[in-house]
Amino acid sequence: MEKIIRIAVQKSGRLSDDSLSLIKECGIKFYNGTGKLKSTSTNFPIEFLFLRDDDIPGYVADGVADLGIVGENELVEKNKSVTTLKKLGFSKCRLSLAIPKGQEYNGIQYFEGKNIATSYPKILGDYLKAKNIKADIHEISGSVEIAPSIGLAEGICDIVSSGSTLMMNGLKEVEEIFKSEAVLIANNNLEGWKSEIVEKLLFRMNAVQKGKSNKYVLLNAPNESLDKIVSLIPGMRSPTILPLAQEGWSSVHSVLSEDQFWENIEELRAAGAEGILVVPIEKMVI
Ligand SMILES: Nc1ncnc2c1ncn2[C@@H]1O[C@H](COP(=O)(O)OP(=O)(O)OP(=O)(O)O)[C@@H](O)[C@H]1O
Ligand SMILES: O=P(O)(O)OC[C@H]1O[C@H](OP(=O)(O)OP(=O)(O)O)[C@H](O)[C@@H]1O
Ligand SMILES: [Mg+2]
């Protein structure tokens, strides 16, 4: 039997594009034509299953797929036993309680005895239980934000990102109950050879993620300020310093996180750095 692992990704929706981009950035090639629900990579031992996100935790728990990419909200809601290997940093959103804009809100007690529409009955139920609130949870599978305006519920609990869907439906966010982002999950009992392939994939994903969160910085500096500048941008091991054609000046090359760059920019300029270039890094292996 050919040694190949299976990964479940969302067929189409808020997770799909970023999931597939990440896999492509890992150098993994595959055909992804519309309507095709299964595809095998041509250069890495992995097969893709394109599914609804609701089904991904269950398929991974049952071993139908070895890996999956899914939102933490869906993972916790489905309550399946799988291993979370890695947070992926995309599809960031929150689950929040919201009520009609005109209603006065005086704390979580507001929901006592009320009717709340949601697609996340478990997460909401656990939250209300922890807060000692008894409310009536009305499960619906989509377009949750419409529920109050058609008299189906007095409040809702749904995914919020920019907040524009709530606003367009005359609702206001009153409690954030869960924060979510996409995660890579794995079956709990992967055989040894499968774990080896998963490790190779993780190695590539880490290199892509590290590359994204770091920048390659090049700058020119007078030689007398090199010590100060090196201390501000120490790099992976230490910066590269090359002499410029102009006497008394050097070019300094280093790698640092974008946050660190912005934190240090004023000090770098004050130390005499100029001609500063910040360049994206595609992959980074430490
Ligand atoms: N507005 C948003 N911004 C960021 N992330 C989001 C947003 N909406 C949803 N997500 C995240 O993406 C996941 C998939 O959202 P999507 O709306 O595509 O789900 P769906 O309609 O249930 O899809 P499916 O047809 O696969 O069941 C959500 O579970 C959540 O983790
Ligand atoms: O706060 P916002 O930025 O407006 O995002 C929140 C909305 O995004 C998602 O729906 P999506 O647009 O994916 O449509 P769906 O109902 O088909 O899932 C989610 O279900 C919310 O309705
Ligand atoms: Mg879904």
Side-chain angles (χ1 to χ4, degrees):
M1 194 187 72
E2 203 188 348
K3 295 208 160 175
I4 183 163
I5 59 166
R6 272 187 176 166
I7 184 167
V9 294
Q10 191 190 24
K11 180 166 136 351
S12 85
R14 295 274 190 168
L15 294 158
S16 322
D17 289 350
D18 286 334
S19 302
L20 297 184
S21 302
L22 173 62
I23 289 160
K24 284 182 188 150
E25 284 170 312
C26 288
I28 296 171
K29 297 199 169 83
F30 58 96
Y31 174 72
N32 172 33
T34 40
K36 202 162 182 336
L37 300 179
K38 230 168 76 167
S39 174
T40 306
S41 167
T42 51
N43 64 348
F44 193 85
I46 195 162
E47 179 179 52
F48 299 89
L49 305 183
F50 299 105
L51 306 170
R52 287 205 52 190
D53 69 343
D54 310 54
D55 298 329
I56 292 176
Y59 276 28
V60 173
D62 297 347
V64 173
D66 304 303
L67 297 176
I69 296 181
V70 72
E72 286 170 299
N73 53 320
E74 206 57 56
L75 179 60
V76 173
E77 181 62 32
K78 290 293 182 287
N79 202 17
K80 300 284 182 187
S81 178
V82 296
T83 306
T84 298
L85 297 179
K86 190 169 178 51
K87 287 188 185 254
L88 298 175
F90 56 82
S91 300
K92 287 190 174 173
C93 57
R94 53 196 188 270
L95 267 183
S96 290
L97 282 159
I99 61 172
K101 217 167 35 204
Q103 296 282 318
E104 198 176 317
Y105 185 71
N106 46 13
I108 191 70
Q109 277 301 326
Y110 175 94
F111 291 100
E112 183 68 39
K114 295 237 175 16
N115 214 312
I116 311 172
T118 190
S119 309
Y120 298 93
K122 178 189 154 32
I123 297 178
L124 177 60
D126 288 351
Y127 178 84
L128 293 174
K129 198 168 167 205
K131 298 277 174 190
N132 236 336
I133 302 291
K134 289 200 172 56
D136 199 2
I137 297 178
H138 191 94
E139 183 177 352
I140 49 178
S141 60
S143 300
V144 174
E145 292 92 346
I146 205 176
S149 69
I150 57 172
L152 194 66
E154 291 150 298
I156 67 149
C157 172
D158 199 22
I159 291 170
V160 183
S161 173
S162 65
S164 70
T165 308
L166 290 183
M167 207 174 73
M168 284 190 297
N169 289 283
L171 300 171
K172 64 177 176 186
E173 186 176 4
V174 291
E175 302 281 347
E176 174 183 307
I177 72 165
F178 190 84
K179 262 189 176 337
S180 178
E181 67 182 85
V183 285
L184 178 71
I185 56 171
N187 177 270
N188 286 341
N189 305 302
L190 288 184
E191 290 170 65
W193 66 266
K194 287 188 177 181
S195 297
E196 282 173 27
I197 299 175
V198 171
E199 281 308 314
K200 285 188 184 148
L201 179 65
L202 274 174
F203 177 84
R204 294 188 186 196
M205 285 188 175
N206 287 335
V208 170
Q209 273 194 337
K210 284 224 170 59
K212 279 201 169 103
S213 58
N214 286 280
K215 302 285 175 206
Y216 192 70
V217 177
L218 304 95
L219 56 83
N220 295 332
N223 287 346
E224 60 271 18
S225 41
L226 286 178
D227 285 351
K228 172 71 180 167
I229 285 174
V230 168
S231 74
L232 291 169
I233 50 171
M236 291 209 281
R237 186 179 292 275
S238 72
T240 305
I241 300 179
L242 300 167
L244 288 191
Q246 184 181 338
E247 188 116 342
W249 281 75
S250 295
S251 169
V252 183
H253 302 196
S254 192
V255 170
L256 69 167
S257 75
E258 187 152 16
D259 294 349
Q260 205 185 350
F261 171 75
W262 287 118
E263 272 166 32
N264 290 346
I265 181 75
E266 294 310 331
E267 278 189 88
L268 284 171
R269 294 183 65 217
E274 58 181 54
I276 303 171
L277 305 180
V278 179
V279 183
I281 297 172
E282 194 174 301
K283 317 265 187 319
M284 186 166 151
V285 178
I286 300 184

